[in-house]
Amino acid sequence: RTTVCILPMIEYLTNLRARFDFQSLFEGGGSRSGALSDLDAKAISDSGLFRELLSMYTNTRKENGTSNTATPSAEDVVRLQLLRTIFMLSTLSPELLGRYALRVPDFAKEVHSSAFTEKHLVDGILWTSAGSSLMENKSDTQKPKLKLRANSKLSKKGPIDTTSLAKRSISGFETMCRSSKKALRSLKQIVQNAENHEMSDEEKAEYDECKVSLGDIIRFSNCLSNCPSATKMWLDSLKNDENSTEKATHHIAELKSIMATLPSFSDETLVPQRGHKKDDDDCAEIEEDNSTVNEVGQKIQTLKQMQRDYGSIVASIRPSVKVIALALESQEGAGLNLKGTVPCDVSSKTD
């Protein structure tokens, strides 16, 4: 309950909905300054608020360290929202709060693990990028540290990742891009096939899975657009691994190429009309004809709704890909100002 009350207040102060999709809370963009002042960051640190947020996260991890991502519990959802708020504060003050968080061993071990990235792809990319930018090839001396209460749930030994954080970051980014490309192709095929037959339950499930996959790249681009420090840290992580920038650029170019081939659908779909019957006394035949027309009309309306839904998805992906492309082209991490971040709606409209 404490977490549920605190997080909205932090979002109000920072004007960024980090819990959900990294969109600005109010009009005019997110945290455009890109950083907390040294005074504000120190006040948050000295108040114990940031320490408490980290403690709540590390001390609420499940015994087996796993959660069901398909049907997460309310506690899992709030815990993930807490983590995203911690990340947002870390990006607003990378040198103080960011380094502070990454020097909590149990916390860093979890958010930098490959298992975490597999379950929470975008969060994994962002945290490994932050770790690479702030920790790799830099001295760790005379930096603020946190000592939290020991948590045996987190301290147990497990598989150790030997790859660099930069490699884990680009690996997660490549996975996100491959999933997005596959989802775009699948959506195109499903919508085109729906013109000839009614969608099966399997196709509906695949359709919804594609929307979730595409939601990842929207959230990632929103973060880059509204969190300039996150952009810088991601670009830093690319520089820390040879050929990573080229790999990222190649995947974005492929995404742009795929999107250029996607079809657009016209709303001018004709609904069949029942013709006049000479024998008006044949009631049974008329009722059957009405039933057929209604059924066909309903199918056409469902198809048109799906096509509109598909068009909305494609329209939301285009600016997201553009944001990432601009970030790669800039290579300076000064932040991007794309008017209006992309709503991240992955709800199903196929049922």
Side-chain angles (χ1 to χ4, degrees):
R1 291 180 180 180
T2 302
T3 303
V4 172
C5 293
I6 290 176
L7 300 189
M9 290 189 288
I10 296 176
E11 288 184 347
Y12 180 84
L13 295 174
T14 58
N15 189 27
L16 195 62
R17 296 194 308 179
R19 290 180 297 163
F20 304 111
D21 49 15
F22 291 103
Q23 291 191 77
S24 56
L25 193 60
F26 308 108
E27 292 184 3
S31 183
R32 297 308 332 153
S33 64
L36 290 170
S37 67
D38 292 341
L39 186 62
D40 289 340
K42 189 174 186 302
I44 292 175
S45 178
D46 292 346
S47 70
L49 172 62
F50 195 64
R51 175 193 179 103
E52 189 60 30
L53 293 177
L54 284 163
S55 294
M56 283 192 288
Y57 184 81
T58 56
N59 290 321
T60 53
R61 187 169 188 258
K62 292 189 175 181
E63 188 70 32
N64 58 6
T66 62
S67 60
N68 189 345
T69 54
T71 55
S73 65
E75 182 180 345
D76 292 331
V77 172
V78 173
R79 192 168 183 267
L80 184 58
Q81 292 178 356
L82 173 59
L83 176 65
R84 290 171 177 170
T85 302
I86 293 172
F87 177 80
M88 182 262 296
L89 290 173
S90 297
T91 60
L92 293 179
S93 176
E95 290 300 322
L96 180 59
L97 301 181
R99 287 182 179 274
Y100 218 55
L102 295 177
R103 279 173 175 73
V104 178
D106 291 338
F107 177 81
K109 179 181 177 181
E110 178 177 349
V111 298
H112 287 163
S113 68
S114 299
F116 176 82
T117 301
E118 289 177 6
K119 296 176 187 175
H120 310 291
L121 184 56
V122 175
D123 301 282
I125 296 170
L126 294 174
W127 276 110
T128 50
S129 296
S132 176
S133 175
L134 296 173
M135 310 291 289
E136 290 183 336
N137 302 322
K138 294 184 179 181
S139 173
D140 291 341
T141 59
Q142 298 181 348
K143 298 296 180 182
K145 295 183 179 181
L146 270 178
K147 284 188 177 181
L148 303 179
R149 294 186 296 272
N151 187 347
S152 59
K153 298 178 184 179
L154 288 168
S155 300
K156 293 179 180 180
K157 292 184 178 180
I160 299 176
D161 289 313
T162 58
T163 55
S164 69
L165 293 174
K167 286 187 180 297
R168 294 179 223 174
S169 175
I170 186 59
S171 176
F173 182 79
E174 287 183 301
T175 298
M176 180 179 68
C177 288
R178 291 191 190 101
S179 297
S180 297
K181 288 182 282 188
K182 180 180 178 182
L184 286 171
R185 294 189 182 103
S186 297
L187 281 179
K188 172 184 175 182
Q189 191 65 42
I190 291 172
V191 174
Q192 288 179 333
N193 289 343
E195 296 180 358
N196 302 319
H197 68 272
E198 186 175 356
M199 286 179 65
S200 64
D201 291 340
E202 291 77 11
E203 286 177 319
K204 289 180 180 179
E206 183 182 1
Y207 186 86
D208 292 337
E209 288 175 4
C210 290
K211 293 177 67 175
V212 172
S213 296
L214 293 172
D216 286 339
I217 201 166
I218 293 175
R219 279 189 290 271
F220 182 75
S221 71
N222 282 350
C223 183
L224 298 190
S225 181
N226 281 322
C227 303
S229 293
T231 306
K232 181 182 183 303
M233 289 190 290
W234 179 57
L235 294 177
D236 284 347
S237 72
L238 294 179
K239 295 175 183 177
N240 287 340
D241 184 61
E242 188 178 6
N243 298 325
S244 285
T245 300
E246 290 77 7
K247 291 177 183 178
T249 302
H250 174 72
H251 281 290
I252 291 301
E254 285 191 338
L255 268 171
K256 293 170 71 174
S257 177
I258 291 174
M259 298 195 69
T261 66
L262 297 179
S264 60
F265 297 96
S266 171
D267 287 335
E268 298 178 359
T269 304
L270 297 178
V271 179
Q273 302 294 327
R274 182 174 62 87
H276 295 290
K277 296 186 68 65
K278 294 181 180 179
D279 188 1
D280 292 334
D281 294 332
D282 195 350
C283 296
E285 197 171 326
I286 292 176
E287 289 177 0
E288 182 180 353
D289 191 43
N290 278 330
S291 176
T292 302
V293 170
N294 290 337
E295 183 180 351
V296 173
Q298 185 177 4
K299 288 181 180 179
I300 291 177
Q301 290 302 319
T302 300
L303 175 60
K304 290 173 67 176
Q305 177 59 49
M306 182 187 300
Q307 291 174 347
R308 285 193 292 267
D309 189 27
Y310 170 81
S312 298
I313 295 171
V314 173
S316 66
I317 294 297
R318 293 188 191 280
S320 299
V321 173
K322 181 180 179 181
V323 166
I324 301 172
L326 289 174
L328 289 168
E329 290 173 5
S330 71
Q331 284 296 305
E332 294 178 358
L336 304 173
N337 188 3
L338 185 70
K339 185 177 180 181
T341 46
V342 181
C344 185
D345 180 11
V346 293
S347 59
S348 172
K349 296 182 181 179
T350 62
D351 295 334

